[in-house]
Amino acid sequence: MRATAVDQSPSKVERRNFQRVRVKIYGRFMLEDRSEHPCQVIDMSPGNVALRADKIGLPGEKIIAYIDHIGRVEGVVTRALEDGFAMTIIASDRKKDKLAAQLTWLANKHELDLPEDRRHERIAPRNPMSTLQLTDGRQYPCRIIDLSLSGAAVEIDVRPALGIQVVLGTMRGQVVRHFDDGIAIEFAVVQRSEALESEFSGQN
């Protein structure tokens, strides 16, 4: 019967249309029990992602991940890996188109060995919740996806213009990039690790 061929076709089409990109980017993910854990992307396509992590989700478990340069990604665990797990990404066609564009940019950046974001190790703060202040004094709550001594990726509902001056917590900087769920900020001066630890230590 034709049913077998029809049932198998989506996965084959997905593998053909969505090329996996090997990138070294970091993030955090939340399990169904709402516990959060750090992770690193092994490879990713608009349809699925393989994550390196100490904590592994169970097959069929829903996952919400916050990935550097990518933003919020939702999906379902498909299988366990030797040092992590793979998940299928659940997203609209529009979201997957955006993911494809972001992954193409990331792949090119890694291939060209661009210095941006390689100057300092990026980490996920213990306290990801912060406030972004614009030059006119308006303040917006935000979630820090990750940060380094030179900048941060922030999930936020507003999109300040590129180049605009902002204050993240007490750290001054400027918006250097937009992505699907937020912005990237470059700090005005390279921070000391002690200052970042104090600012985002989880003691609010």
Side-chain angles (χ1 to χ4, degrees):
M1 297 292 290
R2 287 179 174 272
T4 301
V6 171
D7 289 345
Q8 291 179 349
S9 60
S11 61
K12 290 182 178 179
V13 169
E14 180 172 300
R15 283 197 295 269
R16 185 167 61 249
N17 290 346
F18 293 150
Q19 181 179 356
R20 286 177 176 264
V21 176
R22 293 190 66 86
V23 289
K24 186 179 181 181
I25 51 179
Y26 298 89
R28 296 181 70 81
F29 66 92
M30 184 171 67
L31 298 173
E32 286 185 359
D33 65 5
R34 305 195 69 79
S35 62
E36 293 192 20
H37 310 275
C39 62
Q40 177 191 330
V41 174
I42 301 171
D43 59 52
M44 186 174 185
S45 80
N48 44 57
V49 58
L51 298 173
R52 179 174 289 115
D54 292 333
K55 180 71 174 180
I56 298 176
L58 299 175
E61 185 170 6
K62 293 180 181 179
I63 299 290
I64 298 175
Y66 298 88
I67 301 174
D68 183 23
H69 303 300
I70 299 295
R72 179 187 171 111
V73 175
E74 297 184 32
V76 176
V77 177
T78 52
R79 67 185 187 280
L81 306 175
E82 184 177 345
D83 55 355
F85 61 92
M87 63 180 260
T88 296
I89 296 172
I90 299 174
S92 65
D93 290 342
R94 180 171 172 270
K95 170 80 169 181
K96 287 184 177 182
D97 286 344
K98 286 188 176 183
L99 282 174
Q102 289 168 317
L103 289 170
T104 298
W105 180 84
L106 284 169
N108 291 337
K109 183 171 77 74
H110 280 244
E111 185 175 329
L112 294 171
D113 196 28
L114 297 181
E116 181 190 3
D117 298 321
R118 288 175 176 250
R119 292 171 295 173
H120 303 106
E121 180 183 2
R122 303 181 74 85
I123 60 171
R126 282 187 287 172
N127 176 23
M129 306 312 297
S130 188
T131 301
L132 187 78
Q133 180 173 313
L134 304 185
T135 51
D136 61 7
R138 285 180 294 169
Q139 296 186 358
Y140 299 93
C142 61
R143 177 190 177 93
I144 299 171
I145 300 170
D146 65 23
L147 74 161
S148 73
L149 301 183
S150 56
V154 177
E155 182 183 7
I156 192 169
D157 292 334
V158 297
R159 294 291 184 279
L162 296 179
I164 194 171
Q165 301 296 308
V166 296
V167 179
L168 178 64
T170 61
M171 309 292 183
R172 294 188 176 276
Q174 67 174 346
V175 178
V176 293
R177 187 168 58 256
H178 293 163
F179 51 85
D180 193 39
D181 292 308
I183 59 176
I185 298 167
E186 184 172 28
F187 294 142
V189 296
V190 174
Q191 304 294 323
R192 293 180 300 111
S193 58
E194 295 85 356
L196 291 182
E197 175 69 19
S198 174
E199 177 75 21
F200 306 109
S201 65
Q203 298 175 357
N204 252 355

